[in-house]
């Protein structure tokens, strides 16, 4: 490989790792947002250990990606073969792990859906209407997705407040605005004029699935883009690593 080609490869790899570092920061930020945001769906699922573990994994992957980006930048600029080899190995392991995780999610989607249904059913049954953090998150989901319950409005029939009340109560965040009359609240329980609740008929599971199907192209595009970027990084790092002379390793390390 010529000197000009080596220089171009080195700076392309540096630029790639800078982007990789920023992507890691975004992934870590996304994991922190899911874990800490009071309006996100994760609040509704705060009793699920597996979901919380997923958030911590996102944070860990983001932090690891940032470290990888830093090591890749260092190895590219100073042409340190051991760092470039380590960088290539870690990228290969990350790519394999991503493929394995994607396959696991695809083949276990029914199990994940059943667990989600159980968690949400528990939230609905114990919904007391006192505007807690979990209730605010679920009200936000129902109100913005225009849905009621997980599979439908009947999911609310097990709620203890509704069952034990002498009034015809229904969740206010389920209220269908087109059927509403007079003032209505965004949270808690409202009183229905008749036994027929003026709420949305569709469940939130269908709304979430519809959103995923609508945005599946974006999701797949992002996944494919990340995989291609990782493959590019692997190719650049191994090319640069193979063309660095062994005797020059220690001369590339900065001295202070």
């Amino acid at each position: 490989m010529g000197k000009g080609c080596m220089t171009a490869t080195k700076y392309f790899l540096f630029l790639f790792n800078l982007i990789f570092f920023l992507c890691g920061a975004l992934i870590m930020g996304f994991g922190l947002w899911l874990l800490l945001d009071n309006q996100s769906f994760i609040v509704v699922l705060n009793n699920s250990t597996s979901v919380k573990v997923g958030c911590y994994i996102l944070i860990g992957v983001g932090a690891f990606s940032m470290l990888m980006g830093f090591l890749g930048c260092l190895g590219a600029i100073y042409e340190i073969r051991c760092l470039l080899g380590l960088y290539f190995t870690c990228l290969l392991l990350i790519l394999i792990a991503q493929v394995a995780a994607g396959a696991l999610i695809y083949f276990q989607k029914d199990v994940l859906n059943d667990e989600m249904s159980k968690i949400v059913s528990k939230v609905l049954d114990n919904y007391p209407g006192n505007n807690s953090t979990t209730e605010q998150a679920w009200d936000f989901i129902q109100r913005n997705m225009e849905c009621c319950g997980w599979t439908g409005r009947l999911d609310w029939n097990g709620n203890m407040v509704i069952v034990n009340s002498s009034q015809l109560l229904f969740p206010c965040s389920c209220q269908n605005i087109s059927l509403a009359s007079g003032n209505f609240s965004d949270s808690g329980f409202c009183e229905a004029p008749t036994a027929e609740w003026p709420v949305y008929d569709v469940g939130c599971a269908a709304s979430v699935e519809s959103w995923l199907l609508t945005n599946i192209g974006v999701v797949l595009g992002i996944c494919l883009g990340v995989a291609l970027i990782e493959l590019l990084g692997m190719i650049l790092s191994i090319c640069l690593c193979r063309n660095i002379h062994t005797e020059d390793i220690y001369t590339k390390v900065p001295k202070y």
Side-chain angles (χ1 to χ4, degrees):
M1 185 182 292
K3 185 176 180 181
C5 190
M6 277 279 291
T7 303
T9 302
K10 179 170 69 173
Y11 287 107
F12 267 121
L13 187 58
F14 174 82
L15 179 61
F16 164 81
N17 281 289
L18 182 61
I19 296 173
F20 198 70
F21 180 87
L22 295 176
C23 287
L26 286 175
I27 293 172
M28 187 172 68
F30 180 65
L32 288 170
W33 173 72
L34 285 178
L35 199 62
L36 302 176
D37 183 30
N38 291 335
Q39 294 282 323
S40 67
F41 191 66
I42 194 68
V43 179
V44 180
L45 307 176
N46 60 3
N47 292 324
S48 173
T49 303
S50 58
V51 174
K52 280 189 174 181
V53 168
C55 290
Y56 289 122
I57 288 174
L58 278 177
I59 295 171
V61 168
F64 183 70
S65 299
M66 292 175 69
L67 177 62
M68 286 294 302
F70 174 75
L71 292 178
C73 286
L74 195 64
I77 288 298
Y78 295 111
E79 300 179 11
I80 306 173
R81 293 187 70 183
C82 60
L83 284 182
L84 291 172
L86 177 64
Y87 177 76
F88 173 84
T89 304
C90 289
L91 270 186
L92 180 61
L93 292 176
I94 289 174
L95 189 60
I96 294 173
Q98 287 173 340
V99 173
L104 183 64
I105 291 172
Y106 178 79
F107 289 111
Q108 296 292 320
K109 58 184 178 182
D110 292 334
V111 176
L112 293 174
N113 187 50
D114 290 341
E115 183 181 356
M116 189 81 71
S117 181
K118 290 177 183 177
I119 295 170
V120 174
S121 295
K122 186 177 180 181
V123 170
L124 300 185
D125 290 345
N126 297 318
Y127 183 101
N130 57 13
N131 208 30
S132 66
T133 302
T134 302
E135 292 174 23
Q136 287 177 9
W138 185 248
D139 288 335
F140 177 83
I141 292 165
Q142 291 190 139
R143 190 167 55 249
N144 286 273
M145 288 193 167
E146 298 184 348
C147 55
C148 192
W150 184 244
T151 58
R153 54 187 291 183
L154 296 179
D155 291 345
W156 283 97
N157 288 345
N159 180 267
M160 298 310 297
V161 175
I162 294 176
V163 171
N164 296 326
S165 176
S166 58
Q167 300 173 308
L168 297 173
L169 298 181
F170 69 93
C172 298
S173 56
C174 280
Q175 189 161 6
N176 190 332
I177 299 176
S178 62
L179 302 176
S181 59
N183 297 325
F184 60 91
S185 175
D186 288 337
S187 61
F189 294 101
C190 295
E191 185 175 358
T194 64
E196 188 67 25
W197 291 357
V199 298
Y200 298 108
D201 292 325
V202 64
C204 293
S207 297
V208 171
E209 184 178 355
S210 176
W211 182 88
L212 288 174
L213 290 174
T214 302
N215 296 276
I216 190 67
V218 176
V219 174
L220 290 176
I222 291 173
C223 293
L224 183 60
V226 170
L228 289 175
I229 288 173
E230 289 172 348
L231 283 173
L232 176 63
M234 290 169 61
I235 293 170
L236 290 174
S237 62
I238 199 65
C239 287
L240 186 59
C241 184
R242 290 185 61 185
N243 286 276
I244 295 174
H245 297 295
T246 306
E247 62 270 16
D248 292 339
I249 292 176
Y250 297 102
T251 63
K252 301 295 183 182
V253 180
K255 298 178 177 60
Y256 298 98

